[in-house]
Amino acid sequence: MKSLFRMLSVILGVFSAAVFSVCIIACASTPQEISVCADSGAYFCGYPLTVRCGELPAAADPNLTDTGGSGEIMLFGVIPVKEVSLHYTERPVVSLGGNPFGIRLYTDGVIVSRVTDVETTGGTASPAEDAGICEGDILLSANGERLRSSTQLSDIVASSPGGVVFTGKRDGRSFRTTVSPVTDCAVDMLRIGLWVRDSCAGIGMITFTDKQNRAFAGLGHGIFDSDSGRIMPLADGDIVPAEITGVSGSTAGSPGTLCGSFTSGTSSGLIASNSEKGIYGFLSGNAEYGEDIPVAFRQEVHRGKAQICTTISGTHPQFFDAEISDISYDNTQVTKNIVIRITDSRLLSATGGIVQGMSGSPIIQDGALVGAVTHVFVNDPTCGYGIFAENMKDYCNGVIQKNQLFAS
């Protein structure tokens, strides 16, 4: 009898320790604030967890939009883990993307890609470096003239032997500096030792569109300067129709690429934001929309079967089987919320997995849009990261609101 009692005590102790450990992990790894639909009850959080909603605000409308409340994350539906803030809202519905689009982006000012030396008759010099200019700086004006292109900057430098006064931004802070040009002996021109970028072009995937506001969201990550690694500041830009013309497949250690081309020079929409969470803007007159699909809240995304919707040939997207293997609610990892693994033999055969150019491809699970592909694992191209669709929809809503305020 005593041995049975001891065995039960050990089992109970192990179980209690396991439950306690799960509670600690769940508390740390689940979000503090979540959105919910007022007409739904429990929400799966990627663990054996549910969210028990508290009492709804008495004065709230029965449809409960844009009102707050509180709830509690429960383990196995009975053991409380932590309290969370709830945002009651209607279920977002968007039009599914997965189709390619061409991007033409022009910077606000010019972004410094590289600071270099200049060969002079007296040896090497680096006027820009001496003036404190660094890679990633955004140069907004030169001698009082708003900068719009690298050619314009070259012309200003060439005609300013006495010095060029720059205003710019670095990490969100303004600065002002004066650079003294030197003569490059190879070309007999005044130079300051800078490589700058004023525009870029490329192809990605539309994640979703918003019919009511004619808005679009794509890429799932921002467009960065390849040399400095800084996000390119947007002055203006547009999107154009595009098609996928070929594939360079991925292998371990070497990500592949979707090859594509613009099918028209005519703009099909304007870019309003180049952000860490993607490219956002508004479609022009003859926009085409995909099928309607609900957007999953981030706590509804779970490990298991999923699909990605992407285009690997032409202009029409296809669905391919995949699997969500991990989920993160870490707010510091803006574009790495989901780990997805391609399981579809057709896609693996055609591309080797995820390739560059698939960014923005929608991830679908349980009939809802849960995210978008953002990155490929270099050493295992069958896997990659994705961003929560809810995060993209929230950012898109902000772009829409900003545009409406500006228009009014």
Side-chain angles (χ1 to χ4, degrees), residues 75-311:
L75 177 63
F76 303 122
V78 293
I79 302 172
V81 173
K82 72 175 182 180
E83 290 187 355
V84 291
S85 298
L86 302 181
H87 174 233
Y88 296 102
T89 184
E90 293 181 354
R91 170 76 64 186
V93 176
V94 296
S95 296
L96 187 65
N99 48 302
F101 70 124
I103 302 162
R104 301 186 295 200
L105 186 149
Y106 306 94
T107 59
D108 181 18
V110 296
I111 186 167
V112 177
S113 295
R114 247 189 309 156
V115 180
T116 64
D117 292 332
V118 180
E119 291 293 334
T120 73
T121 55
T124 60
S126 184
E129 183 179 8
D130 293 341
I133 293 178
C134 305
E135 290 185 4
D137 285 351
I138 301 165
L139 303 180
L140 299 174
S141 71
N143 288 344
E145 188 175 335
R146 190 74 176 180
L147 289 174
R148 301 187 182 279
S149 71
S150 57
T151 302
Q152 177 196 16
L153 174 58
S154 295
D155 291 343
I156 293 172
V157 170
S159 61
S160 305
V164 183
V165 179
F166 287 100
T167 62
K169 284 187 176 181
R170 178 184 303 146
D171 298 327
R173 296 184 178 183
S174 299
F175 70 87
R176 180 185 178 93
T177 189
T178 301
V179 183
S180 300
V182 295
T183 301
D184 185 335
C185 60
V187 292
D188 194 27
M189 287 182 59
L190 289 175
R191 294 278 174 85
I192 59 174
L194 281 184
W195 287 91
V196 299
R197 184 167 279 120
D198 58 19
S199 62
C200 73
I203 289 178
M205 298 292 165
I206 292 285
T207 305
F208 63 80
T209 53
D210 180 322
K211 288 181 184 177
Q212 182 177 354
N213 298 287
R214 303 186 66 82
F216 70 85
L219 284 192
H221 61 71
I223 296 177
F224 291 77
D225 173 59
S226 57
D227 292 310
S228 68
R230 303 292 181 89
I231 197 161
M232 298 189 70
L234 174 70
D236 56 72
D238 62 358
I239 63 172
V240 295
E243 68 173 339
I244 304 303
T245 57
V247 179
S248 170
S250 285
T251 57
S254 179
T257 305
L258 289 179
C259 304
S261 62
F262 297 175
T263 58
S264 169
T266 303
S267 173
S268 56
L270 298 178
I271 299 173
S273 178
N274 174 32
S275 79
E276 284 186 292
K277 297 179 181 179
I279 297 292
Y280 300 82
F282 297 91
L283 300 171
S284 54
N286 300 318
E288 295 184 4
Y289 297 96
E291 63 181 86
D292 288 349
I293 187 170
V295 176
F297 299 125
R298 53 185 175 160
Q299 74 277 3
E300 296 175 316
V301 185
H302 60 87
R303 296 172 181 80
K305 291 183 179 180
Q307 289 182 309
I308 70 166
C309 180
T310 193
T311 303

